Amino acid sequence: MNVYIPILVLGGIATAFAVGSVGIGSIAGPSRYNKSKLSAYECGIEPTETPVSGPHATPGQRFPVKYYLTAMLFIVFDIEIVFLYPWAVSFDALGVFALVEMVVFMLAVFVAYAYVWRRGGLTWD
């Protein structure tokens, strides 16, 4: 149990800092609310006001496919980069084989990146 005490203390400090920051911000910060501050914001896509009337009317709008493509690309490349951390931690113990495997993995990542870049997946219209 004594091993977990520093982790619990760090978690308590992090929780106190988060709650304290939000609390102080709401007390000390200005509270000027307007229509644009209260509306939803999704990555640069302007919200539209659609009147809801009729049995088949739905509020909101459809997001362009480019939005979802960008989100999926972020997730894919983010997960690929996460695989570098365990390799970097145990690099000395793994030897030359792990180095060769990581070079092959990085080449695959760069080929995927070059493909997405060439196809225009990283440009926002």
Side-chain angles (χ1 to χ4, degrees):
M1 183 64 186
N2 291 335
V3 178
Y4 296 111
I5 290 177
I7 296 172
L8 293 175
V9 169
L10 183 63
I13 291 171
T15 303
F17 179 75
V19 170
S21 296
V22 170
I24 290 172
S26 65
I27 293 170
S31 58
R32 294 182 298 255
Y33 297 107
N34 56 25
K35 185 178 178 182
S36 63
K37 283 187 179 181
L38 295 175
S39 68
Y41 179 76
E42 286 290 337
C43 299
I45 299 173
E46 294 292 330
T48 58
E49 299 291 332
T50 56
V52 179
S53 62
H56 301 292
T58 59
Q61 68 179 7
R62 291 185 177 178
F63 289 112
V65 174
K66 191 79 163 173
Y67 175 79
Y68 295 108
L69 179 65
T70 303
M72 288 189 305
L73 287 174
F74 173 76
I75 290 170
V76 166
F77 285 119
D78 191 42
I79 290 172
E80 287 176 350
I81 296 303
V82 166
F83 285 123
L84 290 174
Y85 289 113
W87 174 79
V89 168
S90 61
F91 175 70
D92 291 336
L94 296 175
V96 177
F97 178 73
L99 177 65
V100 171
E101 289 297 321
M102 189 51 67
V103 168
V104 170
F105 177 72
M106 290 302 296
L107 282 174
V109 170
F110 285 131
V111 165
Y113 178 71
Y115 175 77
V116 169
W117 187 8
R118 183 81 172 141
R119 298 285 298 195
L122 302 176
T123 57
W124 191 265
D125 297 344

